Amino acid sequence: MENQTVSTDFLLLEGIKLLPQSKVATFTVLLLIYIFILVSNIGLVVLISLERSLHQPMYLLFCNMGINDVFGCTALIPRLLSDLFIPYAERYIHYINCVIQAFCLHLYASNCHTVLIIMAFDRYVAICNPLRYATIMTSKMVVKLSVSAWAVSFILVLILLSLSVRLSRCRAEIFHPFCDNASLFKLSCESVLINNIYGLGYTVLLLGTSIGSVTLTYMKIAAVCVISKSKVLNSRALQTCVTHLAVYIIMLMSGSIIIILHRFPHLSQERKMSSILFHVIPPAMNTVIYGLQIKSFFLFFLHKSQYTLLSHLQS
């Protein structure tokens, strides 16, 4: 078997295994969630782009997450929807399309961490070094940080998938709802030691940097708030940081559930469903959280405008 290779370029994709009577309901729910993610995230990006008062680093960085969320769910949900009513034995996907889907989904997951890291840096500068915030977080800096976040993820994922693509294939079936790196290198009968070493290093580097930087950032922010004992500063820190922290916790918990379920082989179906939810729940929740932040901003801006107008009339 180790000397045999598969010549076909088509793979059999497991997709979602459902009872016939639940397919319509699942299709409807997934479609509605996908439409909500598209409309809300694209609407958020358009709103920030058109509203000059929102042309601030924090809101411009929101655009990165919105674009990434649309990118991630688009790489997954349309394919899941198209496969729902196709018999399992006929769910074929071309190998190249499988590699592209795996690349896009891993890029989305990596971007979730790298973008949230630069958002944490933005909050750190805003609260711990407010006097220099305008000079540090310029438009040019925001662009540099955004490009760096996407570029780092792109390079890491490109290496990850390249190590799997180089392998010959002796299998043609993917036992997963969608294509990912693990599914690709499991198609080979060659040694995947290098893949496992790099995959482990990639995961440790990404998670370690993400958790470490966010934890360190919030520890310093908390220290500044405690030392200053300023209600205004503490209120500002809470208002600006709660959005970022909520998004980060949701993303981290969604990913952690998948890792935990890997330790329970008898819960393979639950793990597969949780891997789908990782690409669905955070993108749907993020826009709600961002929307609340922008609503708070507009209420503050409106209150400030009314106060300025009233003071002008009184004078």
Side-chain angles (χ1 to χ4, degrees):
M1 186 66 181
E2 291 183 358
N3 294 325
Q4 296 178 356
T5 58
V6 175
S7 58
T8 179
D9 286 330
F10 288 91
L11 307 174
L12 185 61
L13 184 63
E14 181 180 58
I16 305 178
K17 289 185 176 181
L18 296 172
L19 297 175
Q21 57 268 29
S22 61
K23 288 185 178 181
V24 174
T26 303
F27 180 89
T28 304
V29 171
L30 274 177
L31 180 61
L32 291 176
I33 292 176
Y34 181 56
I35 293 173
F36 173 76
I37 292 173
L38 288 182
V39 173
S40 58
N41 279 283
I42 294 174
L44 185 72
V45 173
V46 172
L47 173 64
I48 294 174
S49 301
L50 297 178
E51 182 58 49
R52 294 182 63 87
S53 59
L54 294 176
H55 290 180
Q56 301 180 23
M58 178 174 66
Y59 300 108
L60 294 177
L61 292 175
F62 281 176
C63 293
N64 278 283
M65 288 300 293
I67 294 171
N68 188 49
D69 288 341
V70 171
F71 173 73
C73 68
T74 301
L76 175 66
I77 297 180
R79 176 74 201 195
L80 289 177
L81 293 176
S82 66
D83 284 345
L84 272 178
F85 298 103
I86 298 177
Y88 170 69
E90 300 176 10
R91 292 177 182 172
Y92 289 103
I93 183 172
H94 197 281
Y95 179 73
I96 294 178
N97 293 334
C98 187
V99 172
I100 292 174
Q101 184 185 51
F103 180 85
C104 292
L105 293 178
H106 281 283
L107 182 60
Y108 158 77
S110 296
N111 281 336
C112 287
H113 289 278
T114 56
V115 171
L116 285 171
I117 288 173
I118 64 175
M119 291 176 70
F121 174 74
D122 172 73
R123 294 301 83 212
Y124 166 76
V125 176
I127 296 171
C128 299
N129 204 350
L131 297 179
R132 296 186 57 200
Y133 180 75
T135 58
I136 296 176
M137 294 301 296
T138 61
S139 298
K140 187 176 181 180
M141 176 59 74
V142 172
V143 172
K144 284 183 177 180
L145 290 174
S146 300
V147 171
S148 298
W150 283 77
V152 168
S153 295
F154 183 88
I155 293 172
L156 290 175
V157 175
L158 182 63
I159 298 173
L160 183 73
L161 269 297
S162 297
L163 291 174
S164 296
V165 171
R166 70 183 174 86
L167 300 171
S168 61
R169 286 172 282 132
C170 64
R171 304 179 185 92
E173 189 170 2
I174 293 179
F175 298 98
H176 202 60
F178 52 85
C179 296
D180 61 359
N181 181 60
S183 300
L184 288 174
F185 70 68
K186 285 179 181 178
L187 296 175
S188 177
C189 293
E190 297 181 36
S191 172
V192 294
L193 178 61
I194 297 177
N195 299 69
N196 287 325
I197 292 175
Y198 180 82
L200 180 61
Y202 160 82
T203 304
V204 171
L205 175 64
L206 193 63
L207 284 178
T209 304
S210 173
I211 296 174
S213 60
V214 172
T215 301
L216 182 62
T217 296
Y218 279 98
M219 287 178 63
K220 290 188 175 182
I221 290 175
V224 169
C225 293
V226 171
I227 294 173
S228 67
K229 297 181 180 179
S230 171
K231 292 184 178 180
V232 176
L233 178 63
N234 293 345
S235 176
R236 181 187 176 190
L238 179 63
Q239 181 181 0
T240 58
C241 292
V242 69
T243 304
H244 173 266
L245 196 58
V247 170
Y248 186 79
I249 290 175
I250 291 173
M251 183 270 297
L252 199 61
M253 289 182 62
S254 301
S256 299
I257 291 174
I258 302 174
I259 297 174
I260 293 172
L261 289 177
H262 267 287
R263 292 185 169 272
F264 302 94
H266 63 285
L267 298 177
S268 61
Q269 292 303 317
E270 287 77 3
R271 176 177 56 80
K272 293 173 183 177
M273 290 305 300
S274 65
S275 65
I276 295 175
L277 294 178
F278 173 78
H279 296 86
V280 174
I281 299 300
M285 293 296 297
N286 290 350
T287 49
V288 176
I289 298 171
Y290 296 151
L292 292 175
Q293 176 68 34
I294 292 177
K295 179 182 178 181
S296 300
F297 174 84
F298 273 123
L299 291 175
F300 172 77
F301 182 77
L302 180 62
H303 176 74
K304 183 178 180 181
S305 300
Q306 291 174 343
Y307 177 79
T308 303
L309 179 61
L310 181 61
S311 300
H312 179 72
L313 292 175
Q314 290 177 348
S315 61

